[in-house]
Amino acid sequence: MGSLKKLFQQTFIYGLATVLPRMLSFILVPLYTDILPKKEYGEVSIIFSWIILFNVILSYGMETAFFRFFNKEKDKKSVISTATVSLIISSLLFLVLAFSLKDQLASWSGIKAEYISYTIIVLALDALVIVPFAWLRANQQPMRFAVMKILNVAVNLGLNVFFLLLLPEIASETSTGILDSIYRPDFKLSYIFISMLIASAINLIILIPFYFKIKYTFSKTLWKEMLKYSYPVLFAGIAFAINESFDRILLGWLLPSNIAEGAVGAYSACYKLAIFMALFSTAFRMGVEPFFFSKATDENAPETYALITRYFVAFGSIILLTVIIFLDLLKELVIRNSDYWEAMKIVPLILLANFCMGIYHNLSVWYKVTDRTKMGAYISIVGAVVTLGINYALIPTMSYVASAIATVSAYGIMMFLSYYLGQKYYPIPYNLKKISLYFLVSVIFSGISFYLFRSNYIVGIGLWLAFIILIYTQEEKALKKIILRR
């Protein structure tokens, strides 16, 4: 229980590192939806989707490989240096290649070359901080990690507010000066990408001391082993990127051009309301992943993994029900422009999809600690095929509802596949009775609240209290042991 208590403490800090910055960035949703019409917000969302995909490609699974070999190898300095050199070289090669093909990329994608230039630089900067951030997590320095992540998004947020809100007002009041000279009324989208670029650059500048501390040795043998471990993670990551964000790109391709970007804008804005489940899942994963590797050789590791997954489902179920009950209040606070509300019907499905994704991450421990990362890639590819198939088949008739259905279907299938295969290769004694109880009751209560008694908070809060009581009666003894143990 002592190790679990430490895990939850670190998860809380990693949660702050993930939740607080994203909550700050969450403010950008009302800012963007207030200032930008649906079409322009849709354009931004499509570019962000490409960024997510290329972030995965440029990291090529090296972060996960770093954790595995950092805990496995005796020569940890060689692991750090080899991973760092690999990412430096690949990032520089990407910069050269991407800029040489910039005009062709603009022509093919329909995105302005200016935006592509910003995106290329941001992607390279983000790739260069992968190992420094992984090193902080591997050395259990969650506070430094948290401060860096929070600073990055705070700078991004501050610059967005300055460029989109303050600068136009200042420029309208004065006709001379530096601020007036940098203001351009038709430059809103560029300001968004410039803000991101500056924030990423500051992150790298602060982490520069890491690059001066390491010895630049490169083990070709170790690098090949790391690539062998990481390339399945790369394919799994690409598949995840497809599941997570490629639907915006597909909507842009498959819907009529006169409505495509507007539909993407509405879908993307309402999608953001599911962020609370995504934040919880991501924070938990970042805290638990190093823990899973460090406990891999323990005799009671399977029992520990089973208990962690049970707690994840319990807390995740509470978050699912809570957010769905209060969705219409969140809508009023976050998306004040009612033009975007047309896509509200997709939010429960996206919340459920993110919950399934979080459960999948917990279940995926079996292939990570047994070096069967290929299996994770296969599962993710199945999910990507489901995503692409449903989107291609249904988008022309169902628009973004098809994308929501595809997302929850993909993550649900991946969750069940991971459990089935995991029990075959690395049996873990999950308490299926309690896990299924929490999951199914939360989904049923959520459906009742949203589809039968939407905005009826008496019914909603009653369901919420009943579910809390259910969780408490099932977990009272275990939670007391974790909280009170010294």
Side-chain angles (χ1 to χ4, degrees), residues 59-72:
S59 66
Y60 47 92
M62 192 56 67
E63 181 182 33
T64 303
F66 176 88
F67 284 124
R68 180 59 173 163
F69 285 84
F70 188 84
N71 286 281
K72 180 181 177 181

Side-chain angles (χ1 to χ4, degrees), residues 14 55 58-67 69-70 76-91 123-141 144-145 148-149 203-204 207-218 222-223 226 230 286:
Y14 283 121
N55 271 332
L58 289 176
S59 66
Y60 47 92
M62 192 56 67
E63 181 182 33
T64 303
F66 176 88
F67 284 124
F69 285 84
F70 188 84
K76 299 186 186 303
K77 291 182 179 179
S78 180
V79 174
I80 297 170
S81 179
T82 300
T84 302
V85 171
S86 179
L87 281 165
I88 289 174
I89 293 173
S90 60
S91 299
L123 287 168
L125 292 173
D126 289 347
L128 291 172
V129 298
I130 289 172
V131 175
F133 273 128
W135 182 86
L136 290 176
R137 290 173 60 197
N139 284 276
Q140 298 188 9
Q141 297 186 38
R144 287 184 63 189
F145 180 91
M148 289 295 302
K149 288 292 185 180
N203 233 11
L204 178 60
L207 288 169
I208 282 293
F210 168 85
Y211 285 94
F212 288 102
K213 290 179 181 178
I214 64 175
K215 294 181 178 179
Y216 286 91
T217 58
F218 185 80
L222 175 62
W223 182 66
M226 293 179 78
S230 68
M286 296 192 76

